[in-house]
Amino acid sequence: MSQFDPNPPTFVEPDTEQARPGWPTALGIFSIVWGSLAVLCGACASVSTFAQGPMLEWAAKMQAQGPQTPGAPAIPSGPIPAEMQPNAAQIVTGLIHPLGGVVLLVAGILLCMRRPVARATHLLYAVVSLLGTVVGVVGVMMWVGSFRRFEAANPDHEWVHYFNTFSNLSVMVMQTIAFSVVSVLFPVFVIIWFGLVKKRPEDMGAAAPDSYV
């Protein structure tokens, strides 16, 4: 009788891909999409912040040279008062928002690659995003207060009448608060997820851990 088993057991390598968690890919794709939208929207908001005054003054010159559209509010020909110009907080916000989107975009790509540094990058995004939201709210409140003081002192000023024809300060404040509540949801989730739940490279199926930043 032979001492050898004619059908020896074969060694099967473990399927490491199936053992790796799937959430990094899903969350990474979401971060890429959300970060891309943040870059686009942040860039538009920055252009609006920095170019609103020059664009309105240019439009006033064009309007003076051409026929007046019936029913359209006339754009004042004088310069916009300093009280209605973007304040320092709004300027900082215009710089922070696109930056936060870029950081999130990079973080999403790193997470899809299962790089452990994606954790620190996501946390950096969360800090930048929350800071931008807080500064943005402060900037809007400062601008509204400045406008109201200028309006009280100059109720018949041409720029006061123009801004009041297409904007409502109370609605502006409510929209800012609503947008801020929505904008902090994902950064808060990121802080909880990467700060309290997934803190190790092994949690995302990283093959070779590297040091966190």
Side-chain angles (χ1 to χ4, degrees):
M1 183 175 179
S2 174
Q3 299 295 324
F4 299 98
D5 189 345
N7 298 311
T10 58
F11 175 76
V12 179
E13 294 186 3
D15 191 345
T16 56
E17 290 297 327
Q18 292 185 356
R20 301 172 79 179
W23 69 265
T25 301
L27 184 56
I29 293 175
F30 180 85
S31 295
I32 292 173
V33 174
W34 195 251
S36 301
L37 292 175
V39 171
L40 179 61
C41 296
C44 293
S46 297
V47 171
S48 176
T49 298
F50 296 112
Q52 180 181 11
M55 288 180 62
L56 284 174
E57 294 177 4
W58 174 84
K61 294 180 180 179
M62 294 298 101
Q63 180 179 263
Q65 297 175 2
Q68 176 70 30
T69 303
I75 303 176
S77 58
I80 300 178
E83 292 82 356
M84 299 182 191
Q85 297 283 356
N87 53 55
Q90 290 176 310
I91 293 175
V92 172
T93 303
L95 299 174
I96 290 179
H97 278 312
L99 176 62
V102 172
V103 174
L104 181 59
L105 180 60
V106 173
I109 296 173
L110 292 173
L111 188 58
C112 287
M113 297 171 65
R114 298 178 187 269
R115 299 289 180 84
V117 73
R119 171 181 179 267
T121 314
H122 270 88
L123 292 174
L124 175 62
Y125 149 74
V127 173
V128 172
S129 179
L130 292 176
L131 177 62
T133 300
V134 172
V135 176
V137 173
V138 172
V140 171
M141 296 303 179
M142 290 173 58
W143 189 91
V144 169
S146 178
F147 180 88
R148 284 176 172 167
R149 288 190 297 270
F150 183 83
E151 181 182 23
N154 306 273
D156 298 325
H157 196 279
E158 55 182 357
W159 278 107
V160 170
H161 286 295
Y162 180 76
F163 272 97
N164 284 332
T165 56
F166 64 87
S167 64
N168 184 294
L169 296 184
S170 299
V171 174
M172 181 187 299
V173 171
M174 289 187 294
Q175 288 177 340
T176 300
I177 294 175
F179 176 79
S180 300
V181 171
V182 174
S183 64
V184 302
L185 294 179
F186 188 59
V188 170
F189 166 78
V190 166
I191 291 176
I192 295 174
W193 187 254
F194 287 104
L196 301 176
V197 181
K198 303 295 183 180
K199 299 187 293 184
R200 303 177 304 165
E202 295 81 4
D203 293 333
M204 66 179 69
D210 54 9
S211 60
Y212 292 141
V213 177

